[in-house]
Every structure is written in C-alpha cells, then in structure tokens.
C-alpha cells in the first residue's frame, strides 16, 4: 500500500444516484412466492423484479384504492 493517494483527478461515480438502499420489509409469503415464480420465468432475481415493479408504480404515480370493511 502507498502512504499517499492522489484523488485530485478523480471522477464522481455516475451511478451514485442509482445506488440501492437495503431495507427490511414484511411481505406476505404468498406474495413472495408469486414474485419468485414470475422472476424464474423471466430469468431474473425476484428482488430485482419487485424493485422494477415498485419503480414502475412510483414513476407512473399509481394510486392504490383501499376499502376498509
């Protein structure tokens, strides 16, 4: 290792705005199974699929209609 590193010509990470944040969320088991099966059909990780779905909801400003009984 060097004693000194020169970062004067460094460049900011262009992907820094797209970094993901780890969170803990409680999701029903049947919902997880649904996304796991769908992700397997699509050939991608189920967490990535859930992220894509939630991002689509956020970008299109989808509104959930809830009726309490």
């Amino acid at each position: 290792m060097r004693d000194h590193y020169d970062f004067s010509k460094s460049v900011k990470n262009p992907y820094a705005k797209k970094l993901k944040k780890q969170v803990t969320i409680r999701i029903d088991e049947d919902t997880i199974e649904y996304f796991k099966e769908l992700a397997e059909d699509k050939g991608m990780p189920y967490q990535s699929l859930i992220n894509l779905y939630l991002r689509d909801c956020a970008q299109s400003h989808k509104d959930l209609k809830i009726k309490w009984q």
Side-chain angles (χ1 to χ4, degrees):
M1 276 185 87
R2 298 179 186 167
D3 290 334
H4 176 71
Y5 290 90
D6 181 15
F7 294 105
S8 62
K9 296 180 183 178
S10 63
V11 179
K12 285 187 176 182
N13 182 348
Y15 303 103
K17 290 182 182 179
K18 299 203 179 238
L19 293 177
K20 297 183 183 196
K21 181 176 183 175
Q22 183 175 344
V23 297
T24 301
I25 184 171
R26 289 177 176 83
I27 301 175
D28 296 330
E29 287 185 34
D30 56 339
T31 304
I32 294 293
E33 277 305 310
Y34 168 79
F35 277 102
K36 281 185 176 182
E37 290 172 11
L38 189 60
E40 189 173 321
D41 291 342
K42 303 286 183 194
M44 63 188 310
Y46 77 96
Q47 291 177 333
S48 296
L49 183 62
I50 293 171
N51 185 57
L52 286 172
Y53 183 79
L54 292 175
R55 183 186 311 152
D56 180 60
C57 290
Q59 287 176 342
S60 62
H61 301 283
K62 288 187 182 173
D63 188 19
L64 181 61
K65 307 274 192 246
I66 300 176
K67 276 189 175 182
W68 295 99
Q69 296 181 359

